[in-house]
Amino acid sequence: TCEYNYVLSCISCEPRVLSLQNILSLILFLLPASALTTGIYMIFSTKPEMATQEVQPNETLTNLKAESDTLKTKLEDERAKLHDVELHQVAEKVDGLGQFIMKTRRTLKGHGNKVLCMDWCKDKRRIVSSSQDGKVIVWDAFTTNKEHAVTMPCTWVMACAYAPSGCAVACGGLDNKCSVYPLSLDKNENLAAKKKSVAMHTNYLSACSFTNSDMQILTSSGDGTCALWDVESGQLLQSFHGHAADVLCLDLAPSETGNTFVSGGCDKKANVWDMRSGQCIQSFETHESDINSVRYYPSGDAFASGSDDATCRLYDLRADREVAIYSKESIIFGASSVDFSLSGRLLFGGYNDYTINVWDVLKGTRVSILFGHENRVSTLRLSPDGTAFCSGSWDHTLRIWA
Amino acid sequence: MDFNKQRQARNNKIHSENSRLHSTLRMWYRGGGEASGDEIYTGYNMTTHQKGALQCRSAYRLTANMTIRTLRDYGQHYRPRMACLKNVEVFVVEMQDPKSGVKGADQKLNVTIIPHVINGQDILAWIVTKMKVTTEEAQAFGTMLVAYGYIYPLQNHRKLVLVPDSTLYRFQTPYFWPVQKWPAEDIDYAIYLARRNIRKKGMLEPYEQQHYDNLHKWMNPKWDFIVMQATEQYKANKERKKPDRVVLDCQERAYWIVHRPPRRTHSAMDYGLDRLIDPNAEEVLTFDVVRRTNIFLTQALMRSAVKSSVSLTAFVKFVTTHHNHDPFLTTPVPSNPWITDSDEFWQLNSRSVDIPTKLSVERWVLSFWELISDPRGRVDFKLFLKKEHSAENMAFYEAAEEMRWGAASAIPEKSQFIFNTFLKPGAPRWINIDGRTMGLTVKGLVVPHRYVLDAAQTHIFLLMKKDTFYRYLKSPVHKDMQKRALVPAPHVFTDAQLEANVRNRNPGISPILQWQQEEEEKAAAAVAARPIDVKAMVATNKLDRK
């Protein structure tokens, strides 16, 4: 339809010189869509207005695009030279996994609407969860007691995070802001009174995370940017531009240098950013649809992503390539959330068909499938010591699996 | 006549959009080949009246979009891509194949006979054989088919799940399939509710009534048009035969339950928020974007990558070394707190425990980072450093971390403190770094920023990692700890004990209290680490010169 509209506009606009590009595009329209390679498509997608501009910038743009193509092929060649073995080949020496018995150990009921996001506290038992109706609840998941509850002034609280100290929670959503609520020991205190507005985006907040302390927050937003904020002053420390569409998820690197994070967006790209300089260091574009969730491998040298194209993929940061695709013909619905087990051997994926699939990261096979939720699984996180993982779903409940 | 002319003018104006809409409609009218009995209810029997109404409605919808704020408009406009729909449609089409698909039968409902009804068991069996999956997976997939509206239940029409018994379902007509580019508009819903209102003479269901009132409020200016459309459709409907009418009514009702689900219905078309940026639009490659891509690519080419064999072997190594520490792969000792409801596992691995578990100690050996990530390990390491008289390294590292991740307002005072304590020539806890790094750091501290200590911090970290860590592993402190480390016996609980555990779950300490305790400890340690001021001690008569 894009081509159709373009051709129509080519024909239907009046004082236009049918430049070579336009004629070419008309001819190309007759070819089946599958014959269009990216190279041709580049020429194809230049706007008709270009024909009326001066020749100089138009030529430079085509030169740049040609240069871009050569660089891309050169990079691919370089990376292909280093690609000497596949993950499942290396994993042949590793023992297979036995049968797993994973059951729901706790069901946390209390949200009145879809649970959108959750995060664990560093004490390994408390969690914070947020839902569509604006409620953010802090639970002690071990005893299933609710400890604190905050009502946000907006609906669709899509991001929530627990501070590393355990003394505050951050949440945000349709209000385009990320607010930090310090928690108190007094049960009757109104937490909304001490709320601190930290991040300000121009569109909805899709994910937020504290860095190594309570004093900094990393956020990603529907406006296509990520940003690093200072909590105390609300100052923007660094912003990260590069996604062409909504950014849906982010994760901080666990490694000792701790300077990078990865973000995934609706433009099918997963970008690795340097927090200090704001530059995009690496970019991976192999998914076929929106990337809903990214998570670092425990060693920090790789990350996994879950996407609407029903696959989860593992990307190696040192070799700069995708190394595994976790998919099955019977899995058709998108993965909304992924997380690794502590050793990195298992990858848990929450899917939109109400199930959780457990993958063997090294061998690429599915180990187990867990049923229990009655609506799509929206969020999934492993506890800090790896003893259990929690899944939140649109059926208003959270489940702890172990 | 005037009305027709207006309609024509509108159509001409939005020609391309409309033609696309019509081409898709035409495609559905033709039904795409593998037809169920439902095809006749869509294209062929539609009167010209109705077709005209549709045309008018579609033309109207486009102008309506430009002026009316839909109820779910948050400034986003684009539906998320639903890549799964194409794949699901392949299956649904196969399911309806008269030879190899699911077998349907006629069902008698009061006096009318509803054709081509299938039951849950048959659907499940077909999915199991076709997709080669287990029954539970097939059930999940079947439920998704119902939740997306490809199959609708006849009896309990509000519960969108596949029940694997003799519950009756029917295939939804392709006209009502969820399609990527034609969302269910509020104006269509308003027309449907208005028509239903007319038919039921004002007795709508409560959730429908609520929607109706809302739409009435939002679409008040267009309400006349809506009521006119509804009455036209109502009259056209009356001219149909009774079985056709019943089936069409069921189909439409199912469609709207999926797209406007009542409160306790889980519908898969309830997809959440729209996207801000159109995910179906191709990225516009402007000059700036391409230039930035080129810079990125040149930088990527300059960066060296590692061979696959090297990095993949590293993953395998990581997995193998951490195998025993992963609670999902090796049962934790004494027991997994979530399974047995006893939190002894957490107590034994806590920060302030005297003797750590053997598993923790083994984990510290794996790498320096594991050692200092575990709070108990860090305590042990600091003890060793104190014995070696190089505690200032760890203190500097922690102070630099605090500055890097701390509040922006605290940077000047922190940098001053660090300079005075660690970097100044003659400082009480002077760290030993090479001259060049020292020079750079001191110069940077003139105008301190968050990352000014990065070089020095990296140097100290690498020193600890490559030198001190190995000496720690060989030290008597560590070896002693390894000997003394606990190996807790695995719990064996009887059923009665497990039930007792459930009742007596330990509430634990609030993390806020724990944090306060840690801060107090840190402050006490900082005081203790301060250098002894001899003059002050003399002044307070602590040192007796006699």
Side-chain angles (χ1 to χ4, degrees), chain B residues 261-279:
Chain B
R263 184 156 158 73
R264 265 171 260 284
T265 302
H266 299 310
S267 149
M269 281 312 289
D270 194 5
Y271 55 77
L273 279 189
D274 290 333
R275 302 276 181 254
L276 173 66
I277 300 162
D278 185 4

Side-chain angles (χ1 to χ4, degrees), chain A residues 68 84 106 114 125 203 213 216 230 232 246 256 276 281 290 297 316 318 341 343 366 375 385 394, chain B residues 76 81 137 266 270 276 294 303 306 309 311 319 326 341 346 405 407-409 450 454 465 506:
Chain A
S68 180
D84 48 355
R106 305 278 192 279
K114 307 181 172 76
R125 50 189 285 170
N203 216 287
S213 81
Q216 281 183 13
D230 178 56
E232 217 181 11
D246 306 27
E256 40 206 55
R276 189 174 158 174
I281 320 178
D290 307 356
Y297 194 75
D316 184 344
R318 292 204 295 166
S341 74
S343 64
R366 184 178 67 186
N375 205 331
D385 63 350
W394 283 12
Chain B
Q76 274 81 275
R81 273 191 211 95
E137 271 185 77
H266 299 310
D270 194 5
L276 173 66
N294 287 354
R303 230 173 279 125
V306 167
S309 48
S311 58
V319 168
D326 187 342
D341 295 300
W346 290 328
W405 302 113
S409 56
R450 193 170 289 273
D454 258 9
K465 179 175 165 178
N506 190 354

Side-chain angles (χ1 to χ4, degrees), chain A residues 307-357:
Chain A
S307 152
D308 269 347
D309 63 0
T311 63
C312 298
R313 291 168 200 242
L314 184 70
Y315 297 93
D316 184 344
L317 291 170
R318 292 204 295 166
D320 203 17
R321 60 181 302 121
E322 170 197 286
V323 291
I325 306 181
Y326 305 104
S327 69
K328 231 174 178 291
E329 249 192 49
S330 56
I331 299 178
I332 298 181
F333 300 96
S336 63
S337 185
V338 293
D339 204 353
F340 284 100
S341 74
L342 198 135
S343 64
R345 183 69 193 270
L346 300 173
L347 178 69
F348 304 105
Y351 286 75
N352 290 345
D353 62 353
Y354 316 175
T355 63
I356 298 172
N357 289 299

Side-chain angles (χ1 to χ4, degrees), chain B residues 240-457:
Chain B
R240 286 168 184 270
K241 291 190 285 240
K242 176 113 198 251
D244 296 356
R245 215 187 322 149
V246 167
V247 171
L248 193 62
D249 186 47
C250 281
Q251 286 173 352
E252 234 190 322
R253 183 181 62 177
Y255 177 74
W256 286 113
I257 289 209
V258 168
H259 284 92
R260 297 283 187 271
R263 184 156 158 73
R264 265 171 260 284
T265 302
H266 299 310
S267 149
M269 281 312 289
D270 194 5
Y271 55 77
L273 279 189
D274 290 333
R275 302 276 181 254
L276 173 66
I277 300 162
D278 185 4
N280 292 313
E282 289 298 329
E283 185 177 347
V284 174
L285 293 169
T286 60
F287 188 82
D288 200 37
V289 169
V290 185
R291 193 166 51 91
R292 265 193 252 139
T293 321
N294 287 354
I295 297 171
F296 171 75
L297 287 168
T298 34
Q299 283 178 338
L301 276 167
M302 287 193 292
R303 230 173 279 125
S304 62
V306 167
K307 268 197 179 166
S308 281
S309 48
V310 172
S311 58
L312 294 177
T313 345
F315 291 147
V316 174
K317 182 159 173 265
F318 184 87
V319 168
T320 340
T321 47
H322 284 80
H323 190 278
N324 292 339
H325 301 105
D326 187 342
F328 279 99
L329 300 176
T330 322
T331 325
V333 279
S335 66
N336 191 326
W338 300 101
I339 301 179
T340 57
D341 295 300
S342 146
D343 68 341
E344 204 178 319
F345 180 72
W346 290 328
Q347 287 174 354
L348 289 174
N349 286 306
S350 81
R351 192 172 167 272
S352 45
V353 76
D354 258 344
I355 303 170
T357 58
K358 202 166 180 80
L359 210 61
S360 306
V361 179
E362 277 171 28
R363 199 160 166 196
W364 301 344
V365 175
L366 291 177
S367 88
F368 180 58
W369 180 243
E370 294 280 0
L371 175 64
I372 56 174
S373 305
D374 185 5
R376 183 69 186 79
R378 199 182 273 224
V379 163
D380 226 39
F381 188 65
K382 279 193 201 166
L383 202 66
F384 167 72
L385 284 177
K386 212 163 165 183
K387 291 216 162 100
E388 288 246 318
H389 301 290
S390 44
E392 69 269 4
N393 286 343
M394 197 64 203
F396 175 72
Y397 175 76
E398 283 183 350
E401 280 281 286
E402 241 178 78
M403 191 165 116
R404 201 153 75 136
W405 302 113
S409 56
I411 290 177
E413 73 166 88
K414 277 207 185 116
S415 61
Q416 195 64 34
F417 170 74
I418 290 174
F419 179 71
N420 287 335
T421 324
F422 297 102
L423 298 169
K424 194 169 67 175
R429 308 189 76 182
W430 191 76
I431 54 165
N432 196 358
I433 51 177
D434 66 290
R436 187 168 166 270
T437 322
M438 180 67 90
L440 277 170
T441 316
V442 171
K443 215 162 73 164
L445 278 171
V446 173
V447 185
H449 60 93
R450 193 170 289 273
Y451 301 106
V452 71
L453 296 171
D454 258 9
Q457 188 185 359

Side-chain angles (χ1 to χ4, degrees), chain A residues 355-395:
Chain A
T355 63
I356 298 172
N357 289 299
V358 184
W359 300 92
D360 180 338
V361 171
L362 297 179
K363 299 206 188 265
T365 55
R366 184 178 67 186
V367 166
S368 176
I369 177 168
L370 305 171
F371 303 95
H373 279 295
E374 290 162 18
N375 205 331
R376 71 163 78 168
V377 180
S378 53
T379 171
L380 194 153
R381 289 202 79 143
L382 189 79
S383 86
D385 63 350
T387 45
F389 69 89
C390 178
S391 63
S393 156
W394 283 12
D395 66 358

Side-chain angles (χ1 to χ4, degrees), chain B residues 96-115:
Chain B
Q96 296 186 32
D97 187 51
K99 280 186 232 89
S100 62
V102 186
K103 298 280 171 277
D106 287 347
Q107 181 73 26
K108 203 161 152 59
L109 178 74
N110 301 336
V111 260
T112 50
I113 295 178
I114 304 181

